[in-house]
């Protein structure tokens, strides 16, 4: 049974098509509990990123209804979208770092938008960057970093404001084994502190040995 | 707190995109400059025609047989008219004296001539605030009907021509100014659009991270405000400097003395600055709308 109370994310009969011959998925029903850590997998082009984009309102579904943290997304006005996004940390597949901002400023932006002062922000940003092993590169610009380093900046920016939902879109795509481990550990830790996590990846090895739920997208449907 | 963040962002933004900001400000400045020069021209033309027309005044000639004791009551009657600022009586003798003065060395030609052969007259200065060609004409017509008056003279043809000509020039200047205004508005909004579009990716990302539209737009609007203010002030400053320069030339030159050029009335100066600020701010807000959806 689907219940709005215990679930933090709820999709009912959701479909997304860009045109009549470009249907990403249709008839998706999905429920994710508060505090859950789920993997979202499926082949390239299955619609993982699209589904995440719908959850943080970067895209509207063609039909169906989506609830996030008790909010009906279809009733959300453009002006209300930012307030929803502050509860959601998104690690973008293509990082979406600001190339004319330093690493520090990129991460600090997440705190700035919620109105945090520079002093408070500074400490948290530095802690966060230390956590992902980039303390020495705070004044660099994104293009001066390697792909893996950029990805870790993207992770730091997504989680620095302690969001209750984390949408990670291939957050380990550019990382070596050790860094991948570290990122998974970081996610586990955030999850242990109460964050709900959706981890999109097409790398089966990441969830082979876990007890976590795995949501598989295939041919526009969910396969359990 | 939020205001501090906004100011800090606006400031760091200004520093980072200094070149683009400077170019936009220069574009604003140049556009306003061209428009302001035309405005200056327009007001001076109007000023000049009004002054010139008012200075011409009327001359009322009396019939030679007008008895001397009628003069005071005629004088009273003329000064009583609301359009009239000042009346001077010129007797036949005075007129003769002027003629003599005018002829200087050749005044011998007047020898033997009766000093009263010139008719007495009233010189009338028209109230400048009241000055309107139509009313002067009417006035002249009315005075002409008085029995003692033989002729009312004023530079009618002259003024007529001047008016038609200046009306034409004024229309041309006004239309050109209006076109310039549209061009300026177009150029300014497009320059702003380009600078906003160049940073659209950045704006989209900031919005994806959870920034409200005010947070994103704030710095841009502050910058637009400054651009509009500084651009137009600079332009008006240049126009004012040129105005002062012309004034200097005018003071030294015999020929130009009395042209008395005027600056754009202050209400219009304020209006130009305000419109420039409004244009920049609105242009920015409109250009940004696109990057603030979803
Ligand atoms: N803006 C768009 N316009 C048209 N089609 C789009 C758009 N965005 C995505 N699609 C289509 O939606 C489908 C799903 O894309 P999506 O990025 O969600 O896949 P994915 O599962 O994240 O793939 P990957 O593992 O490669 O990241 C693709 O086939 C793509 O062509
Ligand atoms: Mg993807």
């Amino acid at each position: 049974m689907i219940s709005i109370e215990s679930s933090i994310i709820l999709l009912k009969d959701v479909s997304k098509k860009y045109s009549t011959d470009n249907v990403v998925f249709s008839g998706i029903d999905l429920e994710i509990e508060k505090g859950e850590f789920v993997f979202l997998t499926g082949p390239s082009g299955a619609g993982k990123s699209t589904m995440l984009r719908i959850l943080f309102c970067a895209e509207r579904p063609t039909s169906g209804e989506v609830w996030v943290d008790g909010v009906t997304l279809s009733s959300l006005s453009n002006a209300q979208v930012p307030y929803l996004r502050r509860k959601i940390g998104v690690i973008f597949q293509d990082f979406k770092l600001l190339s004319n901002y330093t690493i520090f400023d990129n991460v600090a932006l997440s705190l700035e938008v919620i109105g945090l002062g520079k002093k408070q922000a500074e400490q948290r940003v530095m802690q966060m960057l230390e956590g992902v092993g980039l303390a020495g590169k705070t004044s660099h610009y994104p293009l001066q970093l390697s792909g893996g380093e950029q990805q870790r900046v993207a992770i730091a920016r997504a989680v620095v404001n302690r969001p209750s939902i984390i949408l990670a879109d291939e957050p380990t795509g550019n990382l070596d084994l050790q860094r991948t481990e570290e990122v998974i550990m970081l996610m586990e830790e955030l999850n242990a502190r109460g964050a709900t996590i959706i981890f999109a990846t097409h790398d089966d090895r990441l969830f082979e040995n876990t007890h976590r739920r795995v949501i598989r997208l295939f041919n526009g449907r969910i396969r359990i | 707190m939020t205001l501090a963040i906004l100011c800090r962002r606006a400031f760091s933004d200004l520093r980072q995109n200094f070149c683009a900001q400077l170019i936009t400000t220069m574009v604003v400045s140049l556009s306003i400059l061209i428009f302001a020069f035309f405005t200056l021209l327009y007001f001076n033309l109007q000023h000049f025609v009004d002054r010139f027309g008012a200075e011409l005044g009327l001359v009322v000639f009396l019939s030679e047989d007008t008895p001397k004791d009628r003069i005071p009551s005629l004088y009273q009657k003329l000064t009583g008219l609301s359009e009239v600022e000042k009346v001077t009586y010129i007797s036949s003798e005075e007129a003769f004296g002027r003629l003599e003065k005018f002829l200087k060395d050749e005044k011998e030609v007047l020898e033997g001539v009766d000093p009263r052969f010139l008719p007495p007259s009233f010189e009338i200065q028209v109230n400048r605030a009241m000055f309107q060609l139509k009313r002067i004409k009417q006035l002249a017509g009315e005075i002409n009907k008085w029995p003692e008056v033989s002729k009312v003279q004023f530079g009618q043809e002259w003024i007529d021509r001047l008016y038609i000509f200046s009306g034409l020039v004024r229309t041309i200047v006004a239309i050109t100014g209006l076109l310039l205004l549209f061009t300026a508005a177009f150029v300014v909004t497009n320059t702003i659009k380009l600078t906003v579009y160049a940073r659209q990716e950045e704006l989209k990302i900031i919005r994806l991270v959870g920034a409200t539209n005010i947070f994103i737009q704030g710095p841009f609007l502050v910058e637009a405000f400054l651009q509009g203010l500084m651009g137009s002030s600079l332009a008006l400053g240049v126009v004012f400097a040129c105005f002062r320069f012309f004034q200097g030339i005018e003071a030294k030159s015999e020929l130009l003395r009395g042209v008395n050029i005027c600056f754009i009335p202050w209400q219009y100066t304020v209006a130009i600055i305000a419109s420039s600020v409004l244009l920049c701010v609105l242009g920015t807000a409109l250009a940004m709308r696109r990057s603030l959806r979803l």
Side-chain angles (χ1 to χ4, degrees), chain B:
Chain B
M1 170 202 72
T2 323
L3 196 72
I5 288 182
L6 189 138
C7 288
R8 198 168 63 75
R9 277 177 56 77
F11 182 69
S12 82
D13 217 84
L14 263 174
R15 231 182 11 186
Q16 267 192 19
N17 301 292
F18 188 73
C19 246
Q21 308 287 358
L22 197 69
I23 289 170
T24 312
T25 310
M26 289 325 285
V27 169
V28 172
S29 202
L30 282 176
S31 309
I32 301 278
L33 186 66
I34 296 168
F35 177 68
F37 259 118
F38 261 79
T39 316
L40 186 68
L41 189 67
Y42 178 86
F43 280 109
N44 273 295
L45 206 62
Q46 182 154 336
H47 179 71
F48 176 73
V49 170
D50 283 354
R51 256 177 57 92
F52 193 71
E55 269 171 11
L56 281 182
L58 301 178
V59 183
V60 178
F61 291 102
L62 303 176
S63 345
E64 276 164 65
D65 51 359
T66 310
K68 272 255 195 278
D69 54 344
R70 287 287 298 140
I71 301 295
S73 74
L74 278 172
Y75 183 85
Q76 290 291 323
K77 224 167 140 188
L78 283 171
T79 38
L81 294 166
S82 62
E83 291 91 342
V84 172
E85 172 96 31
K86 199 177 143 200
V87 181
T88 323
Y89 174 66
I90 313 284
S91 64
S92 299
E93 290 80 5
E94 268 175 278
F96 190 77
R98 278 191 190 182
L99 187 59
E100 271 185 335
K101 225 184 197 169
F102 178 73
L103 290 173
K104 278 186 196 156
D105 303 334
E106 279 114 276
K107 64 178 170 198
E108 301 86 51
V109 295
L110 294 175
E111 241 166 82
V113 175
D114 180 5
R116 273 173 305 161
F117 88 103
L118 288 167
S121 63
F122 285 107
E123 277 181 5
I124 297 176
Q125 234 178 59
V126 177
N127 194 333
R128 197 182 281 185
M130 291 265 206
F131 178 77
Q132 256 183 341
L133 186 61
K134 252 193 225 144
R135 282 177 72 176
I136 302 267
K137 272 187 185 172
Q138 254 176 23
L139 186 70
E142 270 166 40
I143 296 174
N144 212 3
K145 282 186 210 137
W146 298 357
E148 300 88 348
V149 173
S150 71
K151 192 181 173 198
V152 179
Q153 199 182 53
F154 68 108
Q156 172 150 12
E157 262 177 45
W158 231 100
I159 295 181
D160 275 349
R161 265 190 228 144
L162 186 68
Y163 253 72
I164 291 168
F165 173 73
S166 78
L168 197 71
V169 174
R170 267 193 291 184
T171 314
I172 291 170
V173 169
I175 290 174
T176 317
L178 220 60
L179 288 178
L180 272 174
L181 190 67
F182 284 130
T183 315
F186 184 76
V187 170
V188 167
T189 47
N190 271 292
T191 310
I192 286 172
K193 256 190 208 162
L194 285 180
T195 53
V196 170
Y197 287 173
R199 301 176 61 192
Q200 200 152 35
E201 253 340 277
E202 181 186 339
L203 300 181
K204 273 186 184 159
I205 292 172
I206 295 176
R207 182 150 165 87
L208 282 176
V209 173
T212 56
N213 287 353
I214 299 167
F215 180 90
I216 302 171
Q217 277 185 311
F220 278 80
L221 296 182
V222 170
E223 284 158 23
F225 180 85
L226 290 177
Q227 280 162 1
L229 189 69
M230 300 205 296
S232 55
S233 304
L234 190 68
L236 288 169
V238 170
V239 174
F240 188 73
C242 292
F243 162 72
R244 273 309 175 83
F245 179 69
F246 283 131
Q247 259 189 339
I249 291 181
E250 189 191 326
K252 282 193 214 111
S253 153
E254 276 292 331
L255 191 70
L256 293 175
R257 185 155 299 159
V259 170
N260 219 337
I261 84 167
C262 66
F263 195 61
I264 305 166
W266 69 269
Q267 297 97 325
Y268 287 84
T269 318
V270 172
I272 287 174
I273 294 176
S275 323
S276 157
V277 167
L278 200 70
L279 184 73
C280 287
V281 171
L282 274 183
T284 304
L286 278 176
M288 291 191 83
R289 254 194 346 187
R290 195 198 269 193
S291 8
L292 300 179
R293 278 188 228 130
L294 275 185

Side-chain angles (χ1 to χ4, degrees), chain A residues 117-222:
Chain A
K118 188 152 193 181
K119 271 275 161 290
Q120 298 157 279
E122 189 165 347
Q123 212 193 349
R124 276 170 70 174
V125 172
M126 289 310 293
Q127 252 172 15
M128 196 64 237
L129 282 171
E130 256 165 54
V132 295
L134 288 172
K137 305 210 166 174
T138 51
S139 54
H140 286 52
Y141 289 87
L143 292 177
Q144 298 170 326
L145 301 188
S146 75
E149 287 170 327
Q150 288 179 35
Q151 187 146 41
R152 282 179 278 148
V153 177
I155 294 170
R157 184 185 63 188
V159 303
V160 71
N161 61 343
R162 299 184 193 130
S164 55
I165 300 170
I166 294 169
L167 307 178
D169 198 352
E170 302 279 5
T172 57
N174 292 33
L175 302 183
D176 59 35
L177 223 77
Q178 196 204 329
R179 288 293 181 193
T180 302
E181 280 296 314
E182 280 174 21
V183 168
I184 302 257
M185 294 256 285
L186 175 66
M187 293 296 147
E188 296 276 5
E189 191 189 315
L190 292 166
N191 179 237
R193 284 209 221 131
T196 307
I197 296 177
I198 303 183
F199 194 120
T201 180
H202 52 228
D203 188 353
D204 293 356
R205 288 172 302 171
L206 293 184
F207 48 84
E208 258 170 0
N209 304 314
T210 63
H211 55 284
R212 308 286 187 196
R213 180 150 69 114
V214 178
I215 299 160
R216 292 169 205 277
L217 267 179
F218 192 76
N219 276 347
R221 296 273 170 191
I222 287 181

